[in-house]
Each structure stands twice: as C-alpha cells, then as structure tokens.
Amino acid sequence: MRISIVGGGYVGLVSATCFADLGHSVILIDIDEDKVDAINCGKPPIYEKCLMELLSSHVGRDLRATSDYGSLVSSDLTLICVGTPPLPDGSADLSIIESASALIGCALKEKETYHVVAVKSTVPPGTTQNLVMPTVLKHSGKNASKIGFVMNPEFLREGLAVQDFMNPDRIVIGSSNELASDTVESAYRGIDAPIVRTGLIAAEMIKYASNAFLATKISFSNEIGNVCKKLGIDVYEVMKGVGLDHRINPYFLNAGLGFGGSCFPKDVSALIHLAERMNVNPVLLRSVIEVNEQQPMKIVEILLKRVEDIKDKRIAVLGLAFKNDTDDVRESRSVLVIMALVSRGALVAAYDPKANVSMRVILPEIEYCESASQALTDADAVLVLTEWSEFGDLDKEFDLMRSRVIIDGRRVLSCKDAEGICW
Ligand code: UGA
C-alpha cells in the first residue's frame, strides 16, 4: 500500500519507518525542511532505540521525506501525526491539526480515486468528526463518498516506540466507514495484535482514557509510597504484592518522582478541561495531577533534611530526561527539582547520558558534566532523577563525593546507603 504520513515528529517518523518495514511505500511530509533533509540522509532528528538502523535501511528505497503536500496524491492512505500541544488553560491546541487538514484537503482536490485520512495524533473526542472531516472535505471540494475518515490512536512509548509499533497490545480503528477501516487494518497486515473496531469518537476517548489511567496508576503508587515512607516500609514490596493481582497487573506501579513527558501531563489536563466543559467535575483526574506536581518537591524536602543549607553546596543531579532511553526533557520532573535547588542557591552539577543538550536549552545556568563520576566529584549530595539503567552500576564513584548523601528518586541505585524518595 502507498501511505503518506503528515508530521515527522516521533510518532510520524516511527510510524513511517515501521510501515516501510512492513512492506509499504511511504512518503513522510513535514513543513520543516531541515527535518526533511535529515530524514532523507537517514538521520532521525530524535533519539529512539533502533530507529537510526531501521530508517537507514528504508530511506531512499521505500521511504522518502518531503515538504510537498502535493505528493500525498499518489498514496491511498494519509495518517495525520502532527502535534497537539497544550494551551495555557490546559486544553489541546488543535491549530496544527486544522492547518494540516486544510493542506491535505487542498492536495486531495487532484485525486481521482478513493482516499482514506486517518488521525493518529492524540485529539479530544469529537475532533476527527467535527474538525478534521469538515476541513478536509471543504478544501478538497469532495464529499464523504470519496474520502473515508478513521481515528487510529497510537500507544507508543518514547524510547521503545519501534518495539511498541511492531508488537502492540491492540490496534484501535475508529470509524463509521467500513471501507476506510478495512484500508487502515490492511496497513497493519503482518502485525499480530487484536484489532478493536469502534466509532470515531470512542477511539479518541480510548487514547485519552488509556493515558489517564496509566497516569492514575503512577500517582496512586506515589501517594501510597509517601505513606509507606512514613511507616518505614518499602512501597516496591507493597506494589509487588498489589500488582500480582491480575485485575491490577504489575506495570506502571513504580513509585518515584512522578510522570513527565509530552503525553501524560498534557493529555490528563486536556481530559480535565473536556470534563469541565461537559459539566462533569473531574475530581480524580485533578488529584492525579496534584500528586504529580507535589512529588518532585518530596526529594528536595528529603535533601533539606539531610543537608540543612544547600546554598553554595555542590549538588549532583543524575538524570535529566523525563524517563530513561530518551533525550526528551519535556515536562521532566528534573526541571522542577533543579529549579528548586537553584532558587535555594545550590550549585547544580548535572549529568544525563542523552539529555544534557536538550536540558541546557531550558536551564543554561547549571553545570553539565560528561559522566556521572564528574558530577559526583566533590558533591555534597546526589539526587537521582531518571531511571537510566547505567546508574544502577554506580558503586565506587560515590566515593568521589565530599559527603555521602545519596537520594534516589527512581529506585534505580543498587548501593545500600541510598535513601529513596518514598521508600
Ligand atoms: C506514554 C504512554 O505510555 C504511551 O502508551 C502513549 O502512546 C504515549 O504516552 C503517548 O501518548 O504518545 P511516554 O510518554 O513515552 O508514553 O512514556 P511512559 O513510558 O508512559 O512514561 C511516562 C512517565 O511516567 C515517565 O516520566 C516515567 O518516568 C513515569 N513512570 C512510568 C513512573 O513514574 N512510574 C511508572 O511505573 C512508569
């Protein structure tokens, strides 16, 4: 099948590369010329495990990037993978979705045969039907018998996106149009996963509800963890006992600093906003966010108990990315922690295996180190903020510290004298 993908961000690029790997001919469309050039040279603009190798094996053969929307005419299916960033009030900004839909519509004017437009971006329920569909149809001058619409949410985790694309738990295809749904389903031929067919709006809600539920599991574990810490018990032991109940399952129960990234905070806020607009009081979702906002300050409180005055003290920070195996620092809990340290006059020495460069853009005033050892040298305390596995191997490096105050925000260290944020 010939597939065009609009938006070369992490969802669009990973999907484009993986669809090419499934045997399709793929055109990736992005308005950013630099991104297009980088992709055509086989260089992914983001770090994602296995992506570089997979991209290089397909680019120039069955995968090509371009900034020309007109080229989507030669495809059978267009997937919209553009961003839906948050507006200041927490609702989703749909302006990029709207402009992409208009450009897709204009390009489809020239198309004679049936075409399918599928939305992959995370959008508030109702968006495909009330915004994408009328915009594409208006600009194409066609009616719904010529263009089919589908909502096909993605469930990719950053850092594991290629693996998740190829081995999904499920593929959700939302549409009221069977031909359009069949087209999208055939794009995934070769992948062994249950197909869930729903209506358009239900598919959009499945994505929001999935992210909100996962975020709730994390905030739940953190709240239980905060109580466990007071009781002197280990929340990881508790959650192991809880998670073995198959109705709960063991995943996403790791207590710590809380969730960050470009998805959970934004999507839970958008769902809260949507609920309020529907006159539903989202008590639980608001609490999920509240626990998550308070959690990073817990590690600062523990530090202040152990090192009374941190002014002019060297505080090593290990981990800047919002989670391991990515260079993404969006909504990273590290930003809140570092800002709290800097505002108290601490001298922060930070190290992340991948995210030094991206964090420097947000927080240029702190010291960035080339290794954990460099950050730990002469440090008065260390805070571990991201669950990078290499931190688990640290041992004699802690001897480089001026004083051995080790606080773990992610349960990743193996040394005996590390204090946990909620264990
Ligand atoms: C999340 C979802 O997991 C994906 O299914 C979804 O497709 C994606 O959002 C999206 O909407 O595009 P992602 O943001 O890449 O994926 O990251 P996660 O692996 O879900 O981690 C999110 C945050 O939760 C991280 O900061 C991580 O450190 C934290 N976390 C995760 C915990 O604090 N505890 C856990 O047990 C698990």
Side-chain angles (χ1 to χ4, degrees), residues 10-11 122 154-159 164 170 207 211 214 218 222 251-264 267 322-324 333 387 410:
Y10 110 95
V11 175
T122 301
E154 58 82 19
F155 301 100
L156 312 176
R157 288 165 297 174
E158 282 188 37
D164 283 352
R170 75 301 207 188
K207 173 57 193 263
N211 274 2
L214 292 169
I218 298 169
N222 287 339
Y251 303 107
F252 277 72
L253 290 177
N254 295 330
L257 273 183
F259 56 82
S262 65
C263 305
F264 287 174
D267 295 346
F322 85 94
K323 66 173 186 179
N324 58 312
R333 302 298 85 188
E387 56 272 45
R410 294 291 183 186

Side-chain angles (χ1 to χ4, degrees), residues 274-312:
L274 179 80
E276 286 167 345
R277 262 187 36 226
M278 304 283 136
N279 284 326
V280 175
N281 186 8
V283 183
L284 178 62
L285 297 178
R286 274 204 216 99
S287 306
V288 168
I289 294 287
E290 198 180 323
V291 171
N292 201 50
E293 291 304 310
Q294 289 171 2
Q295 205 62 10
M297 291 310 122
K298 300 267 177 235
I299 203 165
V300 179
E301 283 164 24
I302 296 170
L303 173 68
L304 293 176
K305 263 193 207 139
R306 305 267 310 260
V307 182
E308 239 166 65
D309 184 7
I310 57 170
K311 186 165 186 315
D312 296 327

Side-chain angles (χ1 to χ4, degrees), residues 1-6 11-12 14-29 62-66 71-81 111 115-118 120 152 165 182-189:
M1 185 186 296
R2 294 163 308 171
I3 300 176
S4 51
I5 293 189
V6 171
V11 175
V14 169
S15 304
T17 310
C18 292
F19 276 125
D21 206 54
L22 288 176
H24 302 295
S25 163
V26 182
I27 302 162
L28 180 59
I29 302 167
D62 37 20
L63 169 61
R64 168 174 80 82
T66 175
S71 54
L72 65 78
V73 174
S74 62
S75 66
D76 312 297
L77 163 67
T78 300
L79 292 156
I80 300 180
C81 299
K111 178 133 191 223
H115 195 88
V116 177
V117 175
K120 246 196 186 308
N152 170 224
F165 188 99
D182 290 346
T183 305
V184 172
E185 186 169 333
S186 58
Y188 287 97
R189 197 164 292 144

Side-chain angles (χ1 to χ4, degrees), residues 103-307:
L103 290 166
I104 292 168
C106 290
L108 289 178
K109 248 189 209 158
E110 310 303 324
K111 178 133 191 223
E112 300 293 332
T113 50
Y114 185 71
H115 195 88
V116 177
V117 175
V119 176
K120 246 196 186 308
S121 306
T122 301
V123 290
T127 305
T128 307
Q129 189 168 293
N130 302 327
L131 181 70
V132 176
M133 196 188 293
T135 309
V136 171
L137 291 178
K138 179 177 142 204
H139 287 83
S140 65
K142 296 190 191 299
N143 62 36
S145 67
K146 290 280 183 203
I147 307 176
F149 292 87
V150 173
M151 204 290 153
N152 170 224
E154 58 82 19
F155 301 100
L156 312 176
R157 288 165 297 174
E158 282 188 37
L160 295 167
V162 171
Q163 181 194 310
D164 283 352
F165 188 99
M166 294 302 193
N167 307 283
D169 289 336
R170 75 301 207 188
I171 295 167
V172 175
I173 299 176
S175 183
S176 52
N177 178 326
E178 208 152 315
L179 178 56
S181 300
D182 290 346
T183 305
V184 172
E185 186 169 333
S186 58
Y188 287 97
R189 197 164 292 144
I191 289 187
D192 181 21
I195 304 281
V196 181
R197 286 211 185 189
T198 68
L200 273 176
I201 306 184
E204 291 164 331
M205 193 50 142
I206 286 172
K207 173 57 193 263
Y208 269 105
S210 298
N211 274 2
F213 189 75
L214 292 169
T216 305
K217 285 185 88 171
I218 298 169
S219 279
F220 175 82
S221 302
N222 287 339
E223 191 156 286
I224 297 290
N226 294 337
V227 179
C228 286
K229 173 116 182 148
K230 297 269 184 213
L231 293 172
I233 52 176
D234 180 355
V235 64
Y236 276 69
E237 207 179 317
V238 170
M239 283 307 160
K240 188 172 171 201
V242 172
L244 285 172
D245 184 327
H246 75 278
R247 294 167 301 175
I248 299 175
N249 99 24
Y251 303 107
F252 277 72
L253 290 177
N254 295 330
L257 273 183
F259 56 82
S262 65
C263 305
F264 287 174
K266 160 179 90 73
D267 295 346
V268 178
S269 297
L271 195 50
I272 289 172
H273 196 268
L274 179 80
E276 286 167 345
R277 262 187 36 226
M278 304 283 136
N279 284 326
V280 175
N281 186 8
V283 183
L284 178 62
L285 297 178
R286 274 204 216 99
S287 306
V288 168
I289 294 287
E290 198 180 323
V291 171
N292 201 50
E293 291 304 310
Q294 289 171 2
Q295 205 62 10
M297 291 310 122
K298 300 267 177 235
I299 203 165
V300 179
E301 283 164 24
I302 296 170
L303 173 68
L304 293 176
K305 263 193 207 139
R306 305 267 310 260
V307 182

Side-chain angles (χ1 to χ4, degrees), residues 84-97:
T84 50
L87 286 167
D89 67 357
S91 64
D93 179 356
L94 300 176
S95 59
I96 314 174
I97 289 276

